[in-house]
Amino acid sequence: MRQSSYCRMAAINRRPAPAAARPTRPPLQPMRSLADLAQRGVVTALFGLSVYGLYVAYDVHTLILKRGQARREAVGLPTDGKKKKLEYEIAQQAQLATPTPIAPTASSESG
């Protein structure tokens, strides 16, 4: 069976190009405009400023927590770990201070 000329051309087009015909490097990109470079610079700067802002916010937050902890200790207020223990002791003392009513039993009524 003989191939038609269309099939032969399709087979030729599917063959890889010889090594000399392949480009060795990508084509050069056109030079960027000044507006494009300015926009990239502004976006990069704003991103860096946002990251720096997040870092500063975390740093100020931890600093405020440390100052508050130091003030609580200076005044004599309980800190977080001591606070729960103090609340437990107050609740325990309150339970011991209130008398529990004695319920009448069946043996005490019959007597």
Side-chain angles (χ1 to χ4, degrees), residues 6-7 10 12 16-17 44-45 49 58 68 73 87 93-95 109:
Y6 175 76
C7 290
I12 291 172
T44 303
L49 189 64
Y58 173 76
E73 290 174 355
E87 288 175 357
Q93 290 172 1
Q95 287 178 352
E109 290 179 5

Side-chain angles (χ1 to χ4, degrees), residues 4-107:
S4 66
S5 63
Y6 175 76
C7 290
R8 275 185 264 147
M9 290 301 293
I12 291 172
N13 288 338
R14 275 188 255 142
R15 291 183 194 151
R22 291 187 200 131
T24 55
R25 59 187 148 134
L28 297 175
Q29 296 179 352
M31 190 153 186
R32 294 192 171 102
S33 67
L34 185 62
D36 184 38
L37 292 174
Q39 182 208 11
R40 288 172 184 254
V42 168
V43 168
T44 303
L46 289 176
F47 177 75
L49 189 64
S50 299
V51 170
Y52 177 71
L54 289 173
Y55 166 73
V56 168
Y58 173 76
D59 197 35
V60 168
H61 173 71
T62 55
L63 179 68
I64 289 174
L65 287 179
K66 287 178 184 176
R67 283 186 184 173
Q69 186 78 12
R71 283 185 182 166
R72 288 181 69 88
E73 290 174 355
V75 174
L77 294 174
T79 56
D80 291 337
K82 296 176 186 175
K83 185 178 180 181
K84 290 184 180 183
K85 185 177 180 183
L86 182 65
E87 288 175 357
Y88 175 75
E89 289 173 359
I90 291 173
Q92 193 175 22
Q93 290 172 1
Q95 287 178 352
L96 293 175
T98 57
T100 56
I102 300 173
T105 58
S107 62

